[in-house]
């Protein structure tokens, strides 16, 4: 058995095993009052308890990496997060935006002409019945991917938003999972929506959505809106000995009506 001596690598101090908090730009956040971002700001590996709102102004560009941001409100909606027109926000690498006190939720607004991205992160305790839906996105081209969105009023609310991508997320335990209002051509793929007490999905006011390989159990849609639901199927064919079967015809029937017919490829796959 070989043993790796870490002392020679300068790792004999246990603090060196932990990623160090670091930041640049409008950093650190203030101990009290609003945290205003008006330049390129990057924060990593830190927990921030904010006694104020986070405001990203025109020209501000905030990136959070492995950051827990807690909004410490004393009442619902006292504080929140605002990405103003011309601002940019990237929530990445295990970051979590939540309330410091789960009794007092915060608001989260992403206005038009902004850039918003949330990847591999979490959002909780956002929105409340008397004033804020939750994460409300009005910009175009937002990206929310591989994230966990739970215990909010509305997981994600799109308003007059176009061409956004919601990919590979878990959106659950909210009052409403995803809400699309006057929003078109938004792409929802490979998500799991479940346990949302009102509805998993709400599509209204002339909205158009394409939903692909996404699980949900409840949907509300207005008569002037449209949703296209697609589920992709991949079939692997083998014989009883486990040998793949290329060039085999595969068909699928619905009530004796053939709806799918394809020939397997050289790997025995039909898709």
């Amino acid at each position: 058995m070989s043993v790796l001596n870490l002392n020679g690598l300068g790792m004999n101090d246990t603090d060196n095993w932990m990623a160090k908090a670091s930041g640049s730009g409008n950093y650190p956040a203030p101990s009290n009052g609003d945290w205003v971002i008006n330049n390129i700001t990057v924060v990593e590996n830190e927990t921030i308890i904010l006694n104020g709102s986070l405001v990203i102004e025109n020209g501000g560009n905030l990136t959070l990496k492995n950051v827990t941001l807690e909004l410490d409100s004393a009442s619902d909606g006292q504080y929140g997060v605002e990405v103003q027109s011309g601002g940019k926000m990237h929530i990445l690498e295990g970051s979590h935006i939540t309330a410091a006190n789960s009794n007092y939720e915060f608001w989260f607004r992403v206005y038009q002409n902004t850039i918003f991205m949330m990847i591999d992160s979490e959002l909780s305790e956002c929105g409340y019945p008397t004033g804020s839906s939750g994460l409300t996105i009005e910009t175009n081209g937002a990206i929310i991917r591989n994230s966990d969105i739970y215990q909010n009023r509305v997981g994600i609310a799109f308003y007059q938003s176009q061409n956004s991508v919601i990919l590979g997320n878990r959106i659950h335990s909210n009052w409403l999972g995803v809400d699309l209002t006057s929003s078109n051509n938004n792409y929802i793929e490979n998500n799991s929506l479940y346990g949302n007490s009102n509805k998993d999905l709400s599509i209204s006011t002339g909205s158009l959505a394409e939903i692909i390989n996404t699980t949900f159990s409840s949907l509300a849609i207005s008569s002037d809106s449209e949703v296209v639901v697609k589920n992709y199927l991949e079939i692997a064919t083998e014989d009883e000995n486990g040998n793949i079967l290329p060039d085999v015809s595969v068909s699928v029937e619905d009530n004796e009506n053939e709806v799918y017919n394809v020939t397997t490829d050289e790997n025995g796959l039909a898709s």
Side-chain angles (χ1 to χ4, degrees), residues 118 121-124 146-150 169-172:
M118 179 177 176
S121 295
E122 297 182 33
L123 174 68
S124 63
N146 297 338
S147 292
D148 199 6
I149 299 171
Y150 59 97
N169 304 286
R170 293 195 311 145
I171 303 171
H172 62 98

Side-chain angles (χ1 to χ4, degrees), residues 111-254:
Y111 289 107
Q112 294 179 355
N113 303 313
T114 61
I115 292 176
F116 181 80
M117 182 180 297
M118 179 177 176
I119 299 175
D120 298 324
S121 295
E122 297 182 33
L123 174 68
S124 63
E125 304 297 342
C126 182
Y128 42 93
T130 58
S132 172
S133 297
L135 172 56
T136 302
I137 295 177
E138 298 180 9
T139 196
N140 299 331
I143 297 173
I144 302 174
R145 193 175 75 211
N146 297 338
S147 292
D148 199 6
I149 299 171
Y150 59 97
Q151 294 178 357
N152 306 287
R153 178 65 177 175
V154 179
I156 313 169
F158 291 94
Y159 179 71
Q160 296 182 347
S161 174
Q162 322 292 325
N163 303 315
S164 291
V165 175
I166 308 101
L167 177 65
N169 304 286
R170 293 195 311 145
I171 303 171
H172 62 98
S173 308
N174 307 288
W175 181 74
L176 177 62
V178 175
D179 181 37
L180 294 136
T181 302
S182 302
S183 298
N184 295 319
N185 301 319
N186 293 293
Y187 186 74
I188 304 171
E189 182 175 4
N190 289 342
N191 302 279
S192 295
L193 281 71
Y194 59 93
N196 299 295
S197 58
N198 184 346
K199 291 286 189 300
D200 288 331
L201 282 162
S202 176
I203 302 171
S204 65
T205 322
S207 295
L208 171 64
E210 184 174 29
I211 302 173
I212 301 172
N213 281 10
T214 289
T215 59
F216 61 94
S217 60
S218 56
L219 166 68
I221 182 168
S222 64
S223 60
D224 59 350
S225 298
E226 181 179 352
V227 59
V228 177
V229 178
K230 299 179 181 179
N231 288 287
Y232 293 136
L233 178 67
E234 183 174 78
I235 300 171
T237 59
E238 298 178 347
D239 64 18
E240 59 185 6
N241 298 316
N243 300 309
I244 63 172
L245 296 173
D247 200 29
V248 171
S249 178
V250 176
S251 65
V252 177
E253 294 184 355
D254 180 17

Side-chain angles (χ1 to χ4, degrees), residues 11-118:
M11 300 182 69
N12 54 336
D13 185 344
T14 55
D15 287 344
N16 290 328
W17 286 90
M18 301 176 63
K20 296 293 188 180
S22 63
S24 60
N26 298 123
Y27 173 85
S31 57
N32 285 288
D34 292 347
W35 185 16
V36 178
I37 307 297
N38 54 27
N39 59 25
I40 297 174
T41 300
V42 179
V43 184
E44 300 183 59
N45 308 315
E46 185 164 358
T47 295
I48 298 171
I49 299 176
L50 188 60
N51 294 299
S53 294
L54 169 59
V55 180
I56 303 174
E57 297 181 337
N58 181 18
N61 184 346
L62 176 64
T63 298
L64 303 176
K65 297 181 180 180
N66 191 34
V67 170
T68 296
L69 175 63
E70 300 180 3
L71 283 297
D72 194 13
S73 301
S75 61
D76 281 342
Q78 181 182 11
Y79 302 133
V81 178
E82 181 175 272
V83 187
Q84 297 178 353
S85 179
K88 301 178 182 179
M89 186 175 193
H90 305 83
I91 308 166
L92 309 174
E93 299 180 16
S95 293
H96 184 189
I97 299 182
T98 189
N101 184 334
S102 61
N103 292 317
Y104 304 125
E105 282 78 12
F106 61 98
W107 42 265
F108 198 150
R109 304 175 188 133
V110 181
Y111 289 107
Q112 294 179 355
N113 303 313
T114 61
I115 292 176
F116 181 80
M117 182 180 297
M118 179 177 176

